[in-house]
Amino acid sequence: MDLFEAIRTTRAMRRLDPGRPVSDADVRTILEAALKGPTGGNQQPIRWLVIRDQDTKDGLQEIYQRCWNRGRKPYAAEPGRIAPAVLNSADHLAANLHLSPVLILACADTGPQGRRHDASVYPSVQNLMLAARALGLGTTLTTAHLFEEEAVKELLGIPSHVTTYALIPVGHPLGKWGEPKRRPLEEVTYLDRWGRPGASGASGVAGAGANGANGANGANGANGANGADGGGPV
């Protein structure tokens, strides 16, 4: 698959086929791609926890459902902030997380000072998702579990000096691949000064966030504060 096609069409796939397994070979392939992601000073703090055991997935789903019940409240309280289809798919994910063939939890050792490594983790997560797309596997980046991170860590035996970042369901998608809606480049690109049009050939920039908080069809609503939307990016 062409790299740019993978980038354009890697969208959140929250509905996965529970009847189609994901092979160990495919899991290894996407994790090896993730390992190529950049990390600060090449320190490589990220660790990947692959979850296949059904009882463990059942326990994670119970925690995740509680977290999503909490995380969805701002969206439910403000109709139109997020597209109804996105909210529905996030609801589906929360109710069916345990049916995902594989769950992958991105973690990193934060050390005694609790130093986070977001910039050394999320590029690798994107690599993983792009590699999965190349194999025809669906993924979505979720962080709702962070509302009850300690419960997740206890369930999975994760030590106190390790922080979790993203819980990624992996499976064969039930939905269709396609390009998610995004704001036009002209609305989000500036040249030399904030709000000045012309960067990268863009022109007619309307100004900072001209469309306000909601993108086309509320697509940006899938990325909530703290990422605690439970659905991950659209």
Side-chain angles (χ1 to χ4, degrees), residues 7-8 38 66-67 69 77 80 88 92 107 119 124 146 150 173 188 191 203:
I7 291 172
R8 288 193 302 267
R66 294 198 302 268
C67 292
N69 290 344
N88 289 340
H92 175 89
C107 311
S124 294
L146 294 175
E150 291 306 314
V188 298
L191 177 64
S203 62

Side-chain angles (χ1 to χ4, degrees), residues 30-233:
I30 65 176
L31 288 174
E32 286 180 337
L35 289 179
K36 305 303 181 183
T39 62
N42 200 30
Q43 296 180 72
Q44 304 174 62
I46 193 166
R47 299 293 182 268
W48 304 95
L49 183 49
V50 179
I51 302 150
R52 287 188 177 274
D53 177 73
Q54 191 58 56
D55 289 341
T56 304
K57 290 192 292 183
D58 289 346
L60 281 173
Q61 188 275 330
E62 292 177 6
I63 297 170
Y64 190 94
Q65 184 69 70
R66 294 198 302 268
C67 292
W68 173 235
N69 290 344
R70 176 179 172 184
R72 83 185 303 279
K73 287 180 180 178
Y75 304 122
E78 190 179 341
R81 179 180 174 187
I82 181 173
V86 175
L87 192 61
N88 289 340
S89 68
D91 287 340
H92 175 89
L93 177 68
N96 295 276
L97 185 76
H98 58 304
L99 300 180
S100 304
V102 180
L103 298 173
I104 298 179
L105 186 66
C107 311
D109 191 334
T110 53
Q113 279 130 11
R115 181 172 168 236
R116 288 187 60 85
H117 299 283
D118 299 76
S120 293
V121 172
Y122 289 113
S124 294
V125 170
Q126 181 69 2
N127 271 16
L128 183 149
M129 296 173 69
L130 288 171
R133 172 68 185 97
L135 296 176
L137 296 171
T139 58
T140 187
L141 191 165
T142 76
T143 56
H145 77 279
L146 294 175
F147 279 126
E148 294 192 24
E149 184 181 21
E150 291 306 314
V152 171
K153 291 171 68 172
E154 181 179 357
L155 175 66
L156 299 175
I158 298 173
S160 60
H161 58 86
V162 172
T163 298
T164 70
Y165 292 81
L167 181 63
I168 308 158
V170 182
H172 295 275
L174 294 173
K176 297 179 180 179
W177 300 108
E179 293 191 37
K181 293 185 178 181
R182 294 291 186 260
R183 290 188 174 101
L185 180 64
E186 290 76 15
E187 289 187 11
V188 298
T189 310
Y190 310 131
L191 177 64
D192 294 332
R193 293 290 185 274
W194 186 265
R196 179 187 293 174
S200 302
S203 62
V205 177
N211 279 350
N214 294 313
N217 285 334
N220 70 317
N223 295 308
N226 254 348
D229 60 303

